Amino acid sequence: MRYMMTYDLAETVRNTNQWLGASARSLASYPMFAMAPNPVFSWMAAWGEVTERTYQRMIVKPDWGIRTFTCEDGKDHLVEIETVVERPFGDLIHFSVNGRKTQPRKVLLVAPMSGHYATLLRSTVKSLLVNCEVYITDWHNARDIPVSDGKFDIEDYTLYLVDFMRELGPDTHVVAVCQPAPLTLAATAYLAEQDPKAQPSSLTLIGGPVDPDATRTDVTDFGRRVTMGQLEETMIQRVGFKYKGVGRKVYPGLLQLASFMSMNSDRHSQAFVDQIQRVMRNEASDHDAHNRFYDEYLAVMDMPAEFYLSTVERVFKNREIARNEFVVAGHKVDMSKITNVAVKTVEGANDDISAPGQCVAALDLCTGLPDSKKASHVEPGAGHYGIFAGRSWRDNIRPLVIDFMNANSKGAARKPANTNAA
């Protein structure tokens, strides 16, 4: 009950700040105050508008916002989001472009379960839709999953990926972004031993902590400093009475967001001060650069407690993936069993979350894979976000990934296609 009250207290604080923002905006916008040429009322209204929006979007899952797509015929085609596999903790969804012929590459994007929704990869999806059939893992917010649906740790996550890969078949190109990179590698190795015919054609790992000790960052240092007991005591709470997952132990999204913000607190503070000034000058809009970024960044989801704790203990502390000692459902996964799935790693030179060296360690683990099926790329000047979204991804990394898929496709999927993103 103590942890449940803590969860509800955080929600109360969030709700109160949203209310304060709405109240300040309404009060300062009262027509009578327009008679007094005092900038304090303009500032108060702007502060209220920014504050209300900031706290409101923390509990709302963003929309994909991909409704139409312009195809080669110059026409806009409707995009339907279809659920291919439905599971309690996450679905496999497909972005189906109506009226367009099947594209030469089938791509499975493995989205991270690290506090944000899969919509964080919206721009990645859009860029791949140009000439790929895009599927993505859509993880659910743990607060909305009843306790009766059981646990979900990194072994369950890996088995979900195994099932998704089996569903899509061997002509699939898998792209794992950030946190799931080591588990996606393990899922591929699991298939190599248990169901070789279901292995994907290629595997691209982007900015993931395959070996967290390869290059130290604030994230890896934190994992080393704290004990598992401290983490469970300070980070884990029970979902409150407002949601379907009442009583489930989670790592709350609001707590995760506080950690995100604290890593670059000065930059975030200045961003909100600047936005308030823009609102005062009537220079802000609903979809300006600030709102586009923070609408996604501030929308956080709760993670199952067992997933968060097992990630810290087994991936970061014990380095089970890096040491090739990972066990899934009683089976020891051997990365050397990957012998015919091409593997590529992508890292950002300025990545302060998964620094260069952590992801490329995957290639050393694949001792059974010939060098001709291994590739790596370090993007100069790119940070963590830039290697899967933004200019670095669109201009440099995406074409390389598409070329890698083309070179390692099977059968008819080898047909070349234009690699330029729209």
Side-chain angles (χ1 to χ4, degrees):
M1 180 62 71
R2 172 165 61 98
Y3 296 115
M4 190 176 295
M5 295 303 293
T6 304
Y7 188 97
D8 281 342
L9 177 62
E11 173 61 16
T12 300
V13 171
R14 186 211 61 78
N15 197 49
T16 300
N17 278 283
Q18 180 183 337
W19 174 82
L20 287 173
S23 299
R25 180 185 183 184
S26 298
L27 179 63
S29 300
Y30 193 71
M32 182 182 67
F33 292 140
M35 300 174 59
N38 192 325
V40 69
F41 295 113
S42 297
W43 180 90
M44 184 176 176
W47 176 87
E49 178 178 330
V50 173
T51 300
E52 179 187 12
R53 181 169 183 145
T54 296
Y55 285 94
Q56 181 182 40
R57 53 193 164 189
M58 289 180 182
I59 59 167
V60 178
K61 180 180 180 179
D63 187 77
W64 281 102
I66 307 175
R67 296 175 178 84
T68 61
F69 186 80
T70 306
C71 298
E72 292 180 355
D73 59 7
K75 299 179 181 178
D76 288 342
H77 293 243
L78 291 176
V79 177
E80 293 185 5
I81 301 178
E82 303 172 340
T83 300
V84 179
V85 179
E86 187 173 1
R87 295 288 180 82
F89 289 88
D91 300 336
L92 175 65
I93 62 176
H94 175 219
F95 294 87
S96 177
V97 182
N98 288 340
R100 183 177 75 165
K101 64 181 181 181
T102 302
Q103 295 301 291
R105 283 164 296 275
K106 184 193 298 180
V107 176
L108 168 59
L109 265 177
V110 183
M113 182 186 277
S114 56
H116 284 109
Y117 292 94
T119 51
L120 186 69
L121 302 184
R122 182 187 296 103
S123 62
T124 316
V125 171
K126 287 181 178 180
S127 69
L128 290 172
L129 270 178
V130 172
N131 46 28
C132 300
E133 293 294 331
V134 182
Y135 298 76
I136 193 170
T137 57
D138 189 21
W139 305 111
H140 299 164
N141 194 329
R143 75 183 184 199
D144 299 320
I145 305 172
V147 175
S148 58
D149 283 325
K151 70 172 183 66
F152 188 79
D153 60 15
I154 59 174
E155 292 188 30
D156 299 307
Y157 186 108
T158 304
L159 292 174
Y160 265 47
L161 297 184
V162 167
D163 289 343
F164 293 161
M165 291 182 194
R166 280 179 172 147
E167 177 68 26
L168 295 181
D171 58 339
T172 305
H173 300 279
V174 179
V175 179
V177 179
C178 188
Q179 167 265 322
L183 300 182
T184 308
L185 180 68
T188 305
Y190 184 92
L191 278 174
E193 296 182 79
Q194 302 293 324
D195 192 0
K197 293 182 179 180
Q199 294 178 90
S201 297
S202 73
L203 174 61
T204 301
L205 307 176
I206 301 179
V210 177
D211 184 1
D213 280 5
T215 310
R216 297 181 64 177
T217 65
D218 289 343
V219 175
T220 59
D221 287 346
F222 173 77
R224 287 293 182 190
R225 285 197 310 269
V226 299
T227 66
M228 295 308 300
Q230 288 173 323
L231 278 181
E232 189 165 3
E233 181 68 21
T234 59
M235 300 295 187
I236 304 304
Q237 300 173 7
R238 289 187 185 272
V239 176
F241 296 96
K242 183 178 177 181
Y243 301 105
K244 292 181 180 179
V246 55
R248 176 179 291 280
K249 285 188 175 183
V250 298
Y251 176 34
L254 292 179
L255 196 57
Q256 173 80 317
L257 179 61
S259 300
F260 288 151
M261 300 289 281
S262 66
M263 292 179 66
N264 296 284
S265 57
D266 292 342
R267 187 178 67 184
H268 290 302
S269 297
Q270 189 60 49
F272 281 95
V273 170
D274 293 343
Q275 182 68 359
I276 292 172
Q277 295 296 325
R278 284 190 289 270
V279 172
M280 286 182 63
R281 298 192 297 265
N282 292 319
E283 296 174 358
S285 66
D286 195 46
H287 298 290
D288 59 27
H290 177 93
N291 285 328
R292 284 200 312 271
F293 176 78
Y294 282 102
D295 279 353
E296 194 70 53
Y297 189 81
L298 296 175
V300 289
M301 56 185 285
D302 300 343
M303 282 186 279
E306 55 273 12
F307 176 81
Y308 172 71
L309 294 174
S310 60
T311 297
V312 174
E313 182 174 22
R314 300 180 63 179
V315 175
F316 285 88
K317 286 183 174 292
N318 298 341
R319 298 174 57 244
E320 291 183 20
I321 302 288
R323 294 188 298 109
N324 201 19
E325 296 291 338
F326 189 54
V327 176
V328 177
H331 174 77
K332 182 180 177 298
V333 177
D334 186 357
M335 309 301 173
S336 68
K337 299 300 182 182
I338 301 176
T339 57
N340 58 6
V341 178
V343 179
K344 181 183 183 70
T345 63
V346 176
E347 299 176 315
N350 296 341
D351 192 339
D352 58 353
I353 295 179
S354 293
Q358 293 188 13
C359 192
V360 74
L363 300 183
D364 292 333
L365 289 172
C366 298
T367 56
L369 193 65
D371 290 341
S372 61
K373 285 188 170 290
K374 296 180 181 180
S376 64
H377 174 73
V378 178
E379 179 66 17
H384 187 70
Y385 188 78
I387 54 179
F388 62 87
R391 182 175 300 174
S392 292
W393 163 259
R394 291 193 306 270
D395 295 347
N396 303 326
I397 299 172
R398 178 190 174 278
L400 292 175
V401 172
I402 294 293
D403 288 343
F404 183 71
M405 293 177 184
N406 288 343
N408 295 281
S409 293
K410 298 176 181 178
R414 289 198 66 133
K415 180 180 179 182
N418 175 30
T419 60
N420 293 324

